[in-house]
C-alpha cells in the first residue's frame, strides 16, 4: 500500500485568539468561501508524552526554558489498537522556534 509522504521538519508561528460564539459564527460565515476542510478536520489525536524520573521535560516546559525538548508518541486513530499507525516525535524549542526535528513512523 502506497503511503503519503510525511513532512518531518516544521517551522511555524501560532497566534491564538479568544472569540465569543457570535464573533466565531460571523468569522466562519465570512471565511467559508475561502476555506477547504483538510483530511483531519474531525480527527482524534492521541498523545503520550515521555519524561524522565525527575519530570525534567515538564519542568522545563513550565519554566519556558530555551532548548527544551519533548518526546511524544502520537496517533490519529479514533480508537487506537496495537496495529494503529503511530509516530514518535522529538520536539525541540529554541526560544521562539518550535520544530519537530525528528519524526519517525513506527
Amino acid at each position: 500500500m502506497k503511503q503519503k509522504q510525511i513532512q518531518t521538519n516544521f517551522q511555524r508561528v501560532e497566534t491564538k485568539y479568544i472569540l465569543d460564539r457570535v464573533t466565531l459564527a460571523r468569522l466562519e460565515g465570512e471565511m467559508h468561501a475561502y476555506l477547504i476542510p483538510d483530511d483531519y478536520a474531525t480527527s482524534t489525536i492521541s498523545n503520550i508524552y515521555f519524561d524522565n524520573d525527575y519530570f525534567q521535560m515538564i519542568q522545563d516546559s513550565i519554566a519556558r526554558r530555551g532548548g527544551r525538548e519533548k518526546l511524544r508518541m502520537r496517533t490519529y486513530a479514533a480508537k487506537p489498537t496495537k496495529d494503529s499507525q503511530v509516530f514518535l516525535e522529538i520536539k525541540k524549542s529554541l526560544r521562539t522556534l518550535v520544530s519537530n526535528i525528528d519524526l519517525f513512523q513506527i
Side-chain angles (χ1 to χ4, degrees), residues 24-86:
L24 177 60
R26 193 177 82 230
L27 182 61
E28 287 176 333
E30 291 176 11
M31 299 301 294
H32 181 75
Y34 306 100
L35 302 176
I36 300 170
D38 65 22
D39 293 341
Y40 302 103
T42 58
S43 69
T44 299
I45 301 172
S46 298
N47 296 310
I48 297 175
Y49 286 87
F50 299 92
D51 207 336
N52 63 23
D53 291 341
Y54 305 102
F55 303 103
Q56 193 63 50
M57 286 186 210
I58 191 64
Q59 290 181 39
D60 288 348
S61 183
I62 291 169
R64 297 188 171 276
R65 289 192 183 99
R68 63 188 182 271
E69 297 180 345
K70 291 181 183 177
L71 176 62
R72 77 173 171 211
M73 185 169 48
R74 170 178 276 186
T75 183
Y76 296 95
K79 294 183 180 182
T81 68
K82 65 178 185 162
D83 297 318
S84 296
Q85 182 182 46
V86 298

